[in-house]
Amino acid sequence: MSEGLLILLSASLVNNVVLAKFLGLCPFMGVSSKIGSALGMGIATTFVLTMAAIATWLLEFFVLKPLGLEFMRILAFILVIAAVVQLTELYVKKHDPTLYQSLGVFLPLITTNCAVLGVALLAVQEGLSFFNTVMFSLGSALGFTLVIVLFAGLRSQLTLNRVPEALKGTPIAFITAGLLSMAFMGFAGIV
């Protein structure tokens, strides 16, 4: 159990998929202008990333490896991720139309979020057990959510402050993301 907790904390704080592995930058920059949208995207991505990692682990160890079809891994994983995203999109559209509208095109683009595929691939390539895969994917997803919400808060504060004209918008967002990344790297000595 302590190993699983260590994996969860490490994946969310130290080896954060966005700030340490630089995966999932498109939704990180695209949906992080409002805290509500960022939280909604984080929750949707948490669900998709965790369910996709579980499903792809099962697919890898119960279908692909026994049949010698490891060369089909990426294609199979992308199909599984697309199916999970589609189910998530239908659920959000039905139960929270406002969130569905605010996320817009970014919700179906979770399919192409490289963080989702990256976590699934890392879990099977590192040979993690099923429990450790769940903890790794959940930690990665929670780390993604934490970072995207923090970044949305920082960006909303930046709109209230004076920023030099040349740095307004995307340039200051990239600078802030870099500083946030360096701040998270400070956790490396703790965990």
Side-chain angles (χ1 to χ4, degrees):
M1 181 65 177
S2 63
E3 181 186 8
L5 184 59
L6 186 63
I7 289 172
L8 182 112
L9 288 173
S10 173
S12 56
L13 297 177
V14 180
N15 296 315
N16 186 281
V17 292
V18 177
L19 299 177
K21 297 188 185 309
F22 306 111
L23 297 172
L25 292 176
C26 292
F28 174 70
M29 293 303 288
V31 184
S32 62
S33 56
K34 295 181 182 174
I35 293 176
S37 299
L39 184 60
M41 176 57 107
I43 292 169
T45 303
T46 297
F47 178 76
V48 168
L49 199 149
T50 306
M51 291 297 112
I54 290 169
T56 55
W57 188 93
L58 293 170
L59 179 68
E60 173 75 14
F61 290 102
F62 290 108
V63 177
L64 297 178
K65 276 197 181 215
L67 297 175
L69 297 173
E70 291 95 341
F71 64 92
M72 297 288 292
R73 180 181 295 143
I74 292 177
L75 179 64
F77 283 18
I78 289 172
L79 290 174
V80 168
I81 291 167
V84 173
V85 168
Q86 194 65 33
L87 292 173
T88 304
E89 184 178 5
L90 292 172
Y91 179 82
V92 170
K93 186 176 184 178
K94 181 175 179 163
H95 294 294
D96 196 348
T98 307
L99 177 61
Y100 180 79
Q101 289 295 329
S102 71
L103 291 176
V105 72
F106 289 101
L107 187 57
L109 284 178
I110 293 175
T111 304
T112 61
N113 183 343
C114 54
V116 179
L117 180 60
V119 168
L121 287 172
L122 282 170
V124 297
Q125 287 175 344
E126 292 181 12
L128 296 178
S129 67
F130 181 76
F131 177 73
N132 287 344
T133 296
V134 172
M135 297 307 278
F136 177 65
S137 61
L138 183 60
S140 296
L142 292 175
F144 177 86
T145 302
L146 172 69
V147 167
I148 199 171
V149 170
L150 280 174
F151 191 60
L154 290 170
R155 284 180 81 174
S156 68
Q157 287 299 312
L158 283 172
T159 61
L160 303 174
N161 293 313
R162 277 194 227 174
V163 177
E165 195 63 37
L167 295 177
K168 282 189 178 179
T170 305
I172 195 68
F174 278 121
I175 292 169
T176 305
L179 292 172
L180 189 60
S181 179
M182 288 185 344
F184 264 73
M185 295 313 237
F187 287 119
I190 296 172
V191 180

